[in-house]
């Protein structure tokens, strides 16, 4: 008899636990980066999922890394329509829908990691976040990644070194600058660079330091140009939530998400600068030549950028000049 009561109590406990689990609101988080392999963007999302679970507000985040739920360039559209809940996204990937986002991958606009942190609280970022929210999403955590250049043909330093190479450039602003220097462009997300280089579609690419490591591009290139003191390439890759989804959450759940996003952002800020050195170490260990741009190289690139990507952005993007001016005003 006692055993029967024990079984009944156990079954009841399982039923209650199952009922509580089913009562949780489950948010699906998608990103293109390798999962569980040390990519800081994946780790930010994992940290948020853990923090939200610990908050015990009836909210759960399921993570789908490596394009397992949506392809890289499908994520913004899915998020804006409420088909996807959360994403870690290189925002410039959505510049085809919102050309203002090209300002988050503009050559030389961000000088270093400290400058990126100051930009997060600036009028410039306020303008970008207004477009994000009007487009159907909102930011849970800011993240800027620095990056570099790599080639299977020759080291990329001054503008003349890209002449004749087929290049992946991440977004319109870099594409315009590189084309003006003589490169040919093949557009694709960072997750496709490895295969494109392996099959000869690409000679060279620029992407974030983290992606250079996570996607093992050292297996396909001969020379890496690290960010160094003259980082031409910085990209904004925030964690976003669908505005439709956000509005369906209660106050406790929204607070838990914002608190989790703040912790993930702090974690990222501590890791960001170390990622560049990690990239250099990994590439040198794998026999890849590592070089830096000089100040003269950097200025030559900026001169081209101002006449191409900066000019085109200012002339063709709504509020374009004001966005650039707001960014340049941040010292």
């Amino acid at each position: 008899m006692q055993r029967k009561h024990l079984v009944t109590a156990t079954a009841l406990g399982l039923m209650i636990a199952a009922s509580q689990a089913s009562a949780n609101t489950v948010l699906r988080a998608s990103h293109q980066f390798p999962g569980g392999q040390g990519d800081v963007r994946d780790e930010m999302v994992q940290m948020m999922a853990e923090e939200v679970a610990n908050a015990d507000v009836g909210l759960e985040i399921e993570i789908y890394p490596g394009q397992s739920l949506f392809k890289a360039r499908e994520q913004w559209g899915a998020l804006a329509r409420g088909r996807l809940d959360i994403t870690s996204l290189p925002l410039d990937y959505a510049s085809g829908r919102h050309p203002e986002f090209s300002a988050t991958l503009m050559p030389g606009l961000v000088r270093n990691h400290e400058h990126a942190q100051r930009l997060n609280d600036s009028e410039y970022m306020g303008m970008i976040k207004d477009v994000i929210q009007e487009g159907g999403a909102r930011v849970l955590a800011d993240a800027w990644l620095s990056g570099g250049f790599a080639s299977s043909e020759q080291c990329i330093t001054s503008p003349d070194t890209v002449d004749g190479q087929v290049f992946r450039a991440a977004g319109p602003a870099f594409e315009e600058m590189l084309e003006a220097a003589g490169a040919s462009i093949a557009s694709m997300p960072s997750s496709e660079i490895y295969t494109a280089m392996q099959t000869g579609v690409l000679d060279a690419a620029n992407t974030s330091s983290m992606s250079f490591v996570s996607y093992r591009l050292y297996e396909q290139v001969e020379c890496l140009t690290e960010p160094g003191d003259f980082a031409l390439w910085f990209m904004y890759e925030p964690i976003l939530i669908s505005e439709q989804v956000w509005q369906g959450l209660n106050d406790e759940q929204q607070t838990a998400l914002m608190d989790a996003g703040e912790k993930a952002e702090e974690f990222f800020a501590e890791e960001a600068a170390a990622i560049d050195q990690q990239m250099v170490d990994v590439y040198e260990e794998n026999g890849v030549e590592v070089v830096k741009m000089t100040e003269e190289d950097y200025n030559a690139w900026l001169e081209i950028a101002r006449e191409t990507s900066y000019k085109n952005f200012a002339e063709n993007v709504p509020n374009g000049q004001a966005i650039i001016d707001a960014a340049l005003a941040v010292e």
Side-chain angles (χ1 to χ4, degrees):
M1 190 72 171
Q2 186 177 4
R3 178 174 175 78
K4 183 178 179 181
H5 284 308
L6 180 62
V7 171
T8 303
T10 302
L12 181 61
L14 290 171
M15 287 172 64
I16 292 171
S19 175
Q20 288 174 338
S22 65
N24 281 351
T25 298
V26 179
L27 302 182
R28 297 181 305 164
S30 166
H31 65 71
Q32 72 194 61
F33 314 109
Q37 298 180 35
D39 188 296
V40 69
R41 294 157 295 194
D42 174 61
E43 291 182 341
M44 287 178 74
V45 181
Q46 289 187 44
M47 175 179 287
M48 288 191 63
E50 184 176 345
E51 291 291 331
V52 165
N54 291 340
D56 194 23
V57 291
L59 200 59
E60 180 183 345
I61 298 176
E62 292 180 349
I63 303 170
Y64 296 83
Q67 304 188 97
S68 56
L69 188 61
F70 287 97
K71 296 295 184 184
R73 296 192 184 277
E74 296 173 353
Q75 291 177 126
W76 172 265
L79 196 77
R81 293 192 297 273
R83 294 176 53 230
L84 172 62
D85 304 320
I86 292 173
T87 185
S88 172
L89 180 74
L91 191 64
D92 191 76
Y93 283 13
S95 61
R97 295 171 182 260
H98 301 282
E100 296 93 338
F101 293 165
S102 286
T104 64
L105 183 60
M106 188 70 70
L109 200 62
V110 183
R111 295 189 294 275
N112 51 52
H113 292 287
E114 292 76 17
H115 188 218
Q117 291 298 307
R118 294 193 295 275
L119 282 170
N120 284 340
D121 300 317
S122 69
E123 179 188 2
Y124 155 79
M125 187 52 73
M127 297 167 81
I128 295 297
K129 288 183 178 178
D130 284 346
V131 179
I132 291 173
Q133 192 146 1
E134 289 166 8
R138 68 170 57 211
V139 175
L140 294 176
D142 294 313
W144 286 92
L145 281 89
S146 58
F149 299 74
S151 173
S152 59
E153 299 297 315
Q154 65 170 323
C155 293
I156 295 165
T157 49
S158 58
D160 61 286
T161 57
V162 304
D163 188 28
Q165 295 199 58
V166 180
F167 225 103
R168 182 269 183 181
F174 267 86
E175 289 176 355
E176 290 162 2
M177 181 188 72
L178 286 162
E179 279 188 306
S184 298
I185 302 298
S187 298
M188 65 190 70
S190 56
S191 51
E192 297 176 14
I193 295 174
Y194 187 100
T195 302
M197 284 191 154
Q198 188 178 45
T199 57
V201 172
L202 287 180
D203 301 315
N206 58 8
T207 190
S208 70
S209 298
M210 191 76 261
S211 289
F212 270 123
V213 174
S214 293
Y215 294 123
R216 303 172 63 90
L217 299 182
Y218 49 82
E219 296 178 354
Q220 299 298 328
V221 303
E222 297 295 328
C223 186
L224 170 76
T225 308
E226 63 164 301
D229 296 326
F230 302 100
L232 196 64
W233 198 101
F234 261 85
M235 189 175 201
Y236 183 56
E237 303 191 21
I239 296 176
L240 305 170
I241 186 169
S242 166
E243 185 65 19
Q244 288 185 41
V245 172
W246 175 264
Q247 294 300 335
L249 302 176
N250 63 40
D251 290 346
E252 283 187 338
Q253 292 169 336
Q254 290 179 352
T255 298
L257 276 168
M258 293 305 294
D259 289 346
E262 185 176 339
K263 289 185 178 180
E265 187 175 316
E266 290 171 357
F267 161 74
F268 173 81
E270 292 174 0
E271 295 290 318
I275 294 169
D276 295 340
Q277 188 57 51
Q278 178 190 356
M279 173 184 68
V280 170
D281 292 344
V282 168
Y283 275 67
E284 288 181 339
E285 288 167 6
N286 283 273
V288 176
E289 183 180 359
V290 178
V291 300
K292 298 179 182 179
M293 285 188 187
T294 65
E295 185 173 8
E296 183 180 1
D297 295 331
Y298 177 81
N299 288 334
W301 279 114
L302 273 189
E303 186 176 342
I304 295 173
R306 291 189 186 106
E307 291 302 313
T308 55
S309 49
Y310 279 57
K311 183 179 179 181
N312 291 338
F313 187 85
E315 291 178 352
N316 299 313
V317 174
N319 222 21
Q321 187 62 60
I323 293 172
I324 290 177
D325 289 344
L328 294 175
V330 179
E331 295 297 327

